Amino acid sequence: MHTDTQPPVILAIESSCDDTSAAVLRGDRILSNVIASQKVHEQYGGVVPELASRAHQQNIVPVVDTALRQAAIDRRMLSAVAFTRGPGLLGSLMVGVSFAKSMAQGLEIPLVEVNHLQAHVLSHFIKESDESVVPKFPFVCLLVSGGHTQILLLHDHFHMEVLGQTIDDAAGEALDKAAKIMDLGYPGGPIIDRMAQQGDATAYHFATPNIAGNDYSFSGIKTSFLYFLRDRLAEDPQYIERHCADLCASIQECIVGFLLKKLEKAVIKSGVRQVAIAGGVSANSRLRKGLEQMGQRHGWQVFIPKFQYCTDNAAMVGIAGYFKYLNGEYADPALPPYAN
Ligand code: KG4
Ligand code: ZN
């Protein structure tokens, strides 16, 4: 248990997928958050695990140095090193885990292991100033990333009850696959978001499946989108180019509309009046606007993360590490990363 009167200074490291990131926090206050995104995967249309771990190895030292320098923190001032233990790509995680272990060992300070998904949700507690407003418990959080789609009820920082989740693909994965079908590039989510701004979201209607309770399913949407385009392309090879913005706006409307509809039901049922979104897809402009409007309709307080805290970043690992550090939950230096 942390008893010092001074807030701890924590270095956090995130390397679960294709972003190498390091952040420094003093207590819950962010001092720096440096992210090196790997461009190498774009030409392959998805993350190539071997290339990701190699890029993490190249990036990790300069990224950590920059984070410490921007925070004006000497490494001897650090109280602990927090790192993402999983889930993620094993080779990518290994780089961050080994670096965090050797740094903590060298400095003789505790190590704190963080779950990547908890970190996304806890990003709402990062403070940039004394005025930063954070959620109060209990609150509902829609966690939407490239690998996960879950509606969570937060009872406290680490007690997250799953109210609903996808039974197949994640929402980000569905957007990425839709973009791939249209040959728009990777990652597809932000490209669809951008193209959709010029399109008509009612131009096409793609049906959403009937799934019981608060659960989601996205694989059928992707398949019907694929078959729809296959038929159109047989008649007109230029079909996608001619209708790209409308297609993007309509498929985004289908996926994001579905996310919001189920979230709304789950929140009403929970009786909770604070709602947050987190994860890479929470950067989506349609989702952000939709949640804002939903909050106004129901009189809910909504929490929408700043862009730098939506996609993978070490600041969120730092805040999760801070809460664990306060509880004295240190990691065994021998523990391995976990992929899933
Ligand atoms: O949280 P994240 O960076 O990595 C995972 O933990 O998976 O999420 C990545 C996902 C990708 O599927 C990407 O397409 C999606 O977030 N994404 C977006 C946007 N920005 C990132 N999806 C829709 N609109 C965006 N603006
Ligand atoms: Zn993530």
Side-chain angles (χ1 to χ4, degrees):
M1 195 69 79
H2 177 74
T3 48
D4 219 337
T5 48
Q6 291 295 320
V9 180
I10 294 180
L11 169 71
I13 291 166
E14 155 64 36
S15 73
S16 64
C17 190
D18 60 344
D19 295 299
T20 318
S21 181
V24 181
L25 283 85
R26 180 180 280 118
D28 55 7
R29 187 68 80 86
I30 185 81
L31 301 182
S32 66
N33 182 36
V34 177
I35 305 168
S37 297
Q38 304 176 1
K39 297 272 167 254
V40 58
H41 310 287
E42 281 169 12
Q43 58 186 300
Y44 300 99
V47 179
V48 183
E50 291 78 9
L51 296 181
S53 54
R54 195 180 311 158
H56 282 305
Q57 280 166 6
Q58 285 163 351
N59 293 342
I60 189 109
V61 172
V63 164
V64 168
D65 278 349
T66 309
L68 288 167
R69 204 172 51 244
Q70 283 183 5
I73 291 291
D74 183 277
R75 57 190 67 206
R76 280 163 306 208
M77 294 157 75
L78 294 173
S79 316
V81 182
F83 66 97
T84 303
R85 186 178 170 201
L89 299 169
L90 200 57
S92 290
L93 289 164
M94 282 301 281
V95 179
V97 173
S98 327
F99 188 92
K101 281 182 189 174
S102 47
M103 185 130 179
Q105 208 165 30
L107 294 168
E108 297 182 346
I109 54 175
L111 256 183
V112 182
E113 58 140 318
V114 168
N115 174 288
H116 183 83
L117 304 175
Q118 283 183 341
H120 269 301
V121 176
L122 295 176
S123 64
H124 286 286
F125 294 91
I126 298 167
K127 287 195 179 152
E128 292 187 342
S129 71
D130 288 338
E131 281 75 52
S132 299
V133 182
V134 303
K136 290 187 192 68
F137 300 107
F139 70 96
V140 171
C141 183
L142 172 71
L143 170 62
V144 263
S145 71
H148 297 269
T149 301
Q150 292 185 320
I151 302 175
L152 301 163
L153 177 60
L154 276 281
H155 296 283
D156 62 43
H157 292 112
F158 294 103
H159 181 192
M160 305 184 184
E161 186 187 340
V162 180
L163 300 181
Q165 60 189 327
T166 181
I167 58 166
D168 41 53
D169 293 351
E173 193 180 354
L175 287 163
D176 292 341
K177 284 179 178 167
K180 196 166 185 169
I181 292 168
M182 292 186 281
D183 206 14
L184 296 181
Y186 179 88
I191 302 171
I192 289 188
D193 190 352
R194 205 172 52 244
M195 301 284 302
Q197 319 269 339
Q198 268 86 51
D200 173 6
T202 62
Y204 303 94
H205 178 75
F206 302 105
T208 49
N210 249 325
I211 304 289
N214 298 323
D215 286 341
Y216 293 106
S217 165
F218 293 99
S219 75
I221 299 174
K222 171 199 67 194
T223 313
S224 68
F225 187 63
L226 176 71
Y227 289 157
F228 170 82
L229 281 179
R230 191 177 285 174
D231 293 347
R232 299 285 101 63
L233 286 169
E235 295 157 12
D236 174 8
Q238 305 295 307
Y239 193 85
I240 292 173
E241 284 88 328
R242 284 194 224 283
H243 304 278
C244 193
D246 286 348
L247 286 165
C248 287
S250 301
I251 192 68
Q252 174 178 274
E253 186 56 36
C254 169
I255 292 168
V256 176
F258 187 35
L259 283 173
L260 284 164
K261 204 171 92 191
K262 285 257 176 168
L263 176 65
E264 184 171 31
K265 275 193 186 160
V267 177
I268 291 171
K269 195 157 173 233
S270 76
V272 167
R273 306 189 61 79
Q274 289 186 95
V275 190
I277 49 174
V281 182
S282 65
N284 183 267
S285 50
R286 168 71 182 89
L287 179 61
R288 295 166 82 90
K289 202 158 124 215
L291 182 66
E292 196 81 63
Q293 290 166 342
M294 194 191 286
Q296 279 163 8
R297 266 200 318 276
H298 293 283
W300 296 338
Q301 190 178 8
V302 300
F303 294 87
I304 298 169
K306 288 199 165 174
F307 287 111
Q308 62 266 37
Y309 306 131
C310 291
T311 45
D312 292 345
N313 66 88
M316 66 183 195
V317 178
I319 193 75
Y322 165 68
F323 292 122
K324 291 187 98 173
Y325 180 87
L326 290 186
N327 286 342
E329 287 180 51
Y330 305 150
D332 174 354
L335 53 78
Y338 52 80
N340 292 304

